[in-house]
Amino acid sequence: MKEKKVTPYHHGNLKESLLETALEMVDTEGLEAITLRELTQRLGTSRSAVYRHFDSKETLIIGVIQKGYADLDLLFTPIFQDRTHSVAERFEMMGRAYLEFAIEHPNLYRLLFGENYRHEREEACDYKDENQATGLYALIGLLLEAQEEGIIAKIDPIVQAATVWASIHGLASLMIDGHLMMSDNFEEIYKYSQSVLLKGLL
Amino acid sequence: MKEKKVTPYHHGNLKESLLETALEMVDTEGLEAITLRELTQRLGTSRSAVYRHFDSKETLIIGVIQKGYADLDLLFTPIFQDRTHSVAERFEMMGRAYLEFAIEHPNLYRLLFGENYRHEREEACDYKDENQATGLYALIGLLLEAQEEGIIAKIDPIVQAATVWASIHGLASLMIDGHLMMSDNFEEIYKYSQSVLLKGLL
DNA sequence: GAATTAATGTTGACAATGTTAACATTAAAT
DNA sequence: ATTTAATGTTAACATTGTCAACATTAATTC
């Protein structure tokens, strides 16, 4: 039986592997930890091999962002659409899942919802619509349901969605960036924020 | 009359000048634009001179952050304490001033309230208490006033403050990081957020 | 099936960056 | 006046993203 070559000249699936490994590196060690040398070394290729698949490091990271959004959608969309729970319950589940993700994957969360590569993201507006916005549209859908049930006021759901998202994103950001010195109360703060939101939205 | 030496060997006020120029550079060009070479060149000194005043670039940036907080306090505290306006009015003024600052100085805002140098900030806890928290304490004071007037519910003002701050910080962050694709409605979103807050806090 | 072309990977080099060591100059202290 | 501390300079280093020139494999064409 022929022994498998340890390091074949062609990797075979380098582009996807780069994205996967980079995503993993961001998640565990932060964006700064991604160097092309370290990244390619882990895959057994040379630094410059990246440039056969991406224009620059920036382009690669944007690919990672896209991948991250896609993964997130798989996580969140089912919660929004889970008809076995009431709208109010789903609202609570959504907020909790969102915060849990941010706290368990702070580096990834910052990459997806922070400043990084803002300009480039804005240029690639098609991807923006496809991925980044789907979560927001799911939230809008949930709010429309809530409007129908009379739980919240019937006003522009886009404005409502921005308000809700900002509230939870603010909580998540302050928390993972170490600005909530009262973080031992975090559960209490979250519950209070949710109650303020639901009360205020009516 | 002796002509002033164009470039004296000793700058005379290098430490403070470094902080000022660095702050200005962050504000106008972003944190990434700060390189020791560019920074020192603007002041007419050599790159390594920085190390006579700061252990590292990191330490210098932390100094910039401290300076930024001090400046911010001078901006916000008067609003909180302005007794010529009602509590509700000051609440509105505060939120608007906060958002205006974030939008006019996004790079500075990110440096002060984002992830940067989180660990180092947490280590220097005295500075954290002195500066970063003063704004929060001012907010807590305002909320206590509001509680006395019966505008909002009498519960733990720290929890309320976190909720309010998160809501506005979330709005500011999403805005300056380009995540609000409906940013043409921003004024409407802000007003709605404020109304949701006040209604929910009661 | 052989020859050509495209795709993919490697090596060496480059400029920019933060940092340090060794040295130079000025101010402060004795 | 001499010594010492403070402050500034220069040269060098390792690390980084990037690119050009070259090497190897896969795909295509005749």
Side-chain angles (χ1 to χ4, degrees), chain A residues 73-93:
Chain A
D73 277 340
L74 295 178
L75 188 66
F76 286 131
T77 310
I79 300 181
F80 283 105
Q81 298 176 343
D82 176 7
R83 295 304 186 108
T84 67
H85 291 86
S86 73
V87 174
E89 282 171 336
R90 271 180 283 160
F91 191 79
E92 218 284 330
M93 288 161 63

Side-chain angles (χ1 to χ4, degrees), chain A residues 69 94 98 109 112-113 132 136 139 159-171 197, chain B residues 166 170-171 174 179-182:
Chain A
Y69 278 128
M94 173 275 290
Y98 192 92
Y109 184 84
L112 296 182
F113 299 109
Q132 186 178 358
L136 195 56
L139 173 58
V159 175
Q160 286 179 324
T163 299
V164 171
W165 189 20
S167 174
I168 299 181
H169 169 70
L171 221 47
L197 267 183
Chain B
L171 219 48
L174 291 177
H179 293 287
L180 283 184
M181 53 218 73
M182 63 292 265

Side-chain angles (χ1 to χ4, degrees), chain A residues 128-149:
Chain A
K128 182 178 175 182
D129 288 1
E130 274 178 27
N131 293 289
Q132 186 178 358
T134 55
L136 195 56
Y137 286 137
L139 173 58
I140 292 173
L142 190 62
L143 290 172
L144 283 171
E145 276 189 67
Q147 287 188 8
E148 287 308 313
E149 291 197 12

Side-chain angles (χ1 to χ4, degrees), chain B residues 87-104:
Chain B
V87 175
E89 281 171 336
R90 272 180 281 160
F91 191 78
E92 218 282 330
M93 288 161 64
M94 173 275 290
R96 199 168 285 277
Y98 192 92
L99 279 176
E100 261 176 24
F101 175 82
I103 290 172
E104 283 173 18

Side-chain angles (χ1 to χ4, degrees), chain A:
Chain A
M1 191 188 281
K2 257 201 249 176
E3 201 175 307
K4 201 176 165 190
K5 246 173 110 185
V6 186
T7 51
Y9 195 89
H10 281 225
H11 182 282
N13 195 23
L14 186 54
K15 182 167 187 177
E16 195 57 31
S17 297
L18 283 170
L19 290 173
E20 284 172 10
T21 307
L23 183 61
E24 198 181 311
M25 286 177 73
V26 180
D27 190 17
T28 57
E29 303 168 66
L31 184 59
E32 308 297 315
I34 292 191
T35 73
L36 295 188
R37 281 164 169 84
E38 173 66 24
L39 173 61
T40 52
Q41 196 171 313
R42 293 195 187 186
L43 294 171
T45 67
S46 72
R47 36 205 180 297
S48 295
V50 174
Y51 292 89
R52 298 296 158 192
H53 303 278
F54 301 94
D55 285 347
S56 63
K57 184 185 179 184
E58 215 170 81
T59 312
L60 176 124
I61 301 292
I62 291 178
V64 173
I65 294 178
Q66 293 177 310
K67 197 173 165 57
Y69 278 128
D71 289 357
L72 250 199
D73 277 340
L74 295 178
L75 188 66
F76 286 131
T77 310
I79 300 181
F80 283 105
Q81 298 176 343
D82 176 7
R83 295 304 186 108
T84 67
H85 291 86
S86 73
V87 174
E89 282 171 336
R90 271 180 283 160
F91 191 79
E92 218 284 330
M93 288 161 63
M94 173 275 290
R96 199 168 285 277
Y98 192 92
L99 279 176
E100 262 175 24
F101 176 82
I103 289 172
E104 284 173 18
H105 307 278
N107 294 318
L108 199 48
Y109 184 84
R110 286 192 203 99
L111 178 65
L112 296 182
F113 299 109
E115 62 167 321
N116 296 293
Y117 302 94
R118 182 171 63 89
H119 302 298
E120 294 72 17
R121 228 171 0 203
E122 280 168 0
E123 279 166 19
C125 59
D126 54 336
Y127 123 75
K128 182 178 175 182
D129 288 1
E130 274 178 27
N131 293 289
Q132 186 178 358
T134 55
L136 195 56
Y137 286 137
L139 173 58
I140 292 173
L142 190 62
L143 290 172
L144 283 171
E145 276 189 67
Q147 287 188 8
E148 287 308 313
E149 291 197 12
I151 297 177
I152 64 176
K154 279 194 177 179
I155 68 155
D156 185 354
I158 294 180
V159 175
Q160 286 179 324
T163 299
V164 171
W165 189 20
S167 174
I168 299 181
H169 169 70
L171 221 47
S173 300
L174 291 178
M175 184 63 190
I176 66 179
D177 290 342
H179 294 287
L180 284 185
M181 53 218 73
M182 63 293 265
S183 43
D184 38 328
N185 309 20
F186 189 67
E187 173 66 18
E188 186 185 354
I189 294 173
Y190 167 64
K191 279 184 182 160
Y192 185 68
S193 285
Q194 288 285 98
S195 78
V196 168
L197 267 183
L198 279 178
K199 196 170 178 181
L201 284 169
L202 183 54

